[in-house]
């Protein structure tokens, strides 16, 4: 099986030992003896005159967020940032949804609102509504009280809490993540105390799904292993399984007792339909098995900076769900004590009000449709220029990102010559494009492909 081992910690070691070991490996990875000695120089070496932290080495920028830092430093008037996954309007501006502004106004007008701490699990109404949104209002798991949901710090926090819960209480300590995946996934789960390995997912030759490789790798995974699944709009590739392929994945995972951990960052943002984008998750829940689901409202409500998310764990029995919640509290309390109130209150107002909910679905579909339109426009622009190669993957892929197939040298050329910023793996955020900037991007891609870098 073609897997990469991000953590060599054994399943018998404690989560804290695994986290410490992971941190040490992170600090020493790819260093020579001199650099290692500089990393571990005596922390008291600067007490007499300099800083006690003088021994620290400069940490590298985050590979995704670093793109924006470089972009901000560029004075060019034609610069284009396609790195960070945040929606932009046709004018290239950040968008606050009208429905979000209405919900916030309701909260401001409510003089009875207070700023007291939330419970450890967060805003209870938000939790109930979030579970219904992802699982469906008619979900048997909800009806039978087999779901426990806790508010977390967006999708990242939901993944971290879920990972640490599994490291403490699940019998398998290895999680399989797709290759490639969001760059933060291996870091989150390693520091949560899990051993991280990969399964094949993307096929560079077709710029599509390596379905056979996926099945082979999951089939070879040890019984009971945890498997991270992107619910929809896979990041960074934009390549999703079909529903028929999802059903085969479900049958294989259930036959081997593999634990599904869904990352749902784009519900409604991929196809424009909340229900369509939740179908893979609901297929797994419908069979009565257990799973974990991390939700984020960053993309689909544009609440990026509010850090609003939820972790749901679907259990086989209501009494088990209750005990799971009690243990999740023990994970959360020393981590951040309890979550913030404002963003979750915005979501609750929108989800409980039929008129606001309907308005949200219209705005959500408009965002998804604009991204789909950008895909079509870029594809047509490349075809009009006669750009060498098959670019149909741009319109086959779905969601915020397109995996262009460009290599790091080509990306570097486009940044230097055309002031276009993206991650080095060739991932571009379609939400950062507009009708005005598509020709500029198409010109750059055409130039770099014909140069054959």
């Amino acid at each position: 099986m073609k897997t990469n081992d991000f953590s060599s910690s054994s399943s018998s070691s404690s989560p804290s030992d695994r986290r410490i070991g992971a941190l040490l490996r992170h600090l020493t990875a790819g260093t020579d003896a001199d650099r290692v000695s500089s990393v571990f120089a005596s922390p008291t070496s600067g007490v007499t005159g300099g800083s006690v932290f003088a021994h620290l080495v400069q940490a590298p920028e985050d590979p995704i967020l670093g793109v924006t830092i470089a972009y901000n430093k560029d004075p060019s008037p034609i610069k284009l940032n396609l790195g960070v996954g945040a929606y932009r309007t046709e004018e290239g501006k950040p968008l606050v949804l009208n429905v979000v502004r209405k919900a916030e106004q309701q909260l401001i007008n409510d003089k009875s609102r207070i700023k007291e701490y939330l419970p450890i699990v967060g805003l209870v109404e938000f939790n109930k509504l979030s579970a219904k949104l992802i699982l469906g209002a008619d979900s048997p798991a909800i009806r039978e009280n087999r779901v426990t949901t806790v508010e977390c710090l967006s999708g990242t926090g939901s993944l971290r809490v879920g990972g640490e819960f599994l490291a403490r209480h699940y019998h398998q300590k290895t999680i399989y993540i797709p290759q490639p995946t969001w760059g933060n996934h291996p870091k989150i789960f390693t520091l949560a105390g899990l051993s991280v390995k990969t399964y094949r997912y993307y096929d560079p030759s077709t710029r599509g799904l390596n379905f056979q490789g996926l099945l082979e790798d999951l089939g070879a995974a040890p019984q009971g292993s945890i498997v991270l699944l992107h619910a929809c709009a896979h990041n960074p590739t934009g390549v999703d399984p079909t529903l028929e392929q999802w059903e085969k994945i479900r049958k294989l995972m259930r036959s081997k007792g593999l634990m599904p951990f869904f990352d749902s960052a784009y519900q409604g943002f991929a196809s424009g339909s909340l229900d369509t984008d939740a179908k893979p998750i609901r297929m797994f829940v419908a069979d009565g098995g257990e799973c974990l689901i991390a939700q984020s409202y960053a993309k689909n409500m544009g609440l990026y900076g509010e850090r609003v998310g939820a972790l749901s764990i679907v259990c086989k029995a209501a009494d088990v769900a209750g005990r799971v919640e009690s243990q999740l509290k023990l994970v959360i309390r020393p981590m951040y004590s309890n979550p913030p109130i404002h963003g979750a209150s915005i979501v609750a107002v929108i989800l409980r009000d039929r008129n606001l909910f309907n308005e949200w679905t219209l705005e959500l579909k408009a965002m998804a449709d604009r991204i789909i339109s950008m895909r079509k426009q870029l594809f047509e622009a490349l075809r009009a220029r006669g750009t060498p190669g098959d670019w149909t993957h741009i319109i086959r892929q779905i969601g915020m990102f397109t995996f262009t197939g460009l290599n790091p040298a080509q990306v570097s050329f486009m940044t230097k010559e055309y002031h276009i910023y993206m991650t080095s793996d060739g991932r571009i955020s379609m939400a950062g494009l507009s009708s005005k900037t598509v020709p500029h991007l198409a010109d750059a891609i055409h130039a770099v492909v014909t140069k054959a870098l």
Side-chain angles (χ1 to χ4, degrees), residues 160-196:
R160 178 60 189 268
V161 170
E164 190 152 325
F165 169 81
L166 290 170
R168 292 187 188 186
H169 302 293
Y170 189 60
H171 65 282
Q172 274 282 10
K173 309 303 180 188
T174 300
I175 183 167
Y176 286 80
I177 63 176
Q179 177 62 36
T181 192
W182 180 43
N184 221 13
H185 278 148
K187 302 170 190 175
I188 290 168
F189 291 118
T190 298
L191 292 177
L194 295 172
S195 173
V196 178

Side-chain angles (χ1 to χ4, degrees), residues 21-194:
L23 183 58
L24 290 175
R25 286 190 296 278
H26 173 72
L27 289 170
T28 59
T31 60
D32 56 25
D34 290 337
R35 186 175 172 193
V36 171
S37 65
S38 72
V39 171
F40 292 103
S42 171
T44 60
S45 59
V47 169
T48 56
S51 171
V52 295
F53 302 114
H55 62 288
L56 295 180
V57 297
Q58 183 69 33
E61 296 287 357
D62 180 273
I64 297 175
L65 301 182
V67 172
T68 297
I69 294 173
Y71 167 84
N72 289 336
K73 293 178 180 178
D74 189 340
S76 172
I78 62 169
K79 65 182 180 179
L80 181 59
N81 186 2
L82 302 177
V84 177
Y87 184 82
R88 295 292 181 263
T89 65
E90 180 65 19
E91 293 73 36
K93 303 296 183 183
L95 176 67
V96 178
L97 300 185
N98 289 328
V99 72
V100 167
R101 293 197 185 279
K102 290 180 180 179
E104 283 191 306
Q105 194 60 52
Q106 279 192 29
L107 296 172
I108 291 170
N109 293 340
D110 184 358
K111 302 303 181 183
S112 68
R113 282 183 54 78
I114 56 176
K115 299 292 185 180
E116 290 292 305
Y117 292 123
L118 286 177
I120 296 173
V121 298
L123 191 65
V124 174
E125 183 185 26
F126 164 85
N127 293 340
K128 291 179 178 179
L129 292 168
S130 293
K132 287 183 179 180
L133 184 71
I134 196 68
L135 301 180
D138 59 347
S139 171
I142 293 176
R143 191 169 58 248
E144 296 161 9
N145 296 315
R146 294 189 287 108
V147 184
T148 183
T149 302
V150 294
E151 179 192 341
C152 296
L153 306 182
S154 201
T156 304
S158 303
L159 292 165
R160 178 60 189 268
V161 170
E164 190 152 325
F165 169 81
L166 290 170
R168 292 187 188 186
H169 302 293
Y170 189 60
H171 65 282
Q172 274 282 10
K173 309 303 180 188
T174 300
I175 183 167
Y176 286 80
I177 63 176
Q179 177 62 36
T181 192
W182 180 43
N184 221 13
H185 278 148
K187 302 170 190 175
I188 290 168
F189 291 118
T190 298
L191 292 177
L194 295 172

Side-chain angles (χ1 to χ4, degrees), residues 152-159 294-298 303-304 307-310:
C152 296
L153 306 182
S154 201
T156 304
S158 303
L159 292 165
Q295 280 173 273
S296 168
Y297 289 95
L303 297 174
Y304 303 96
R307 312 308 294 143
V308 194

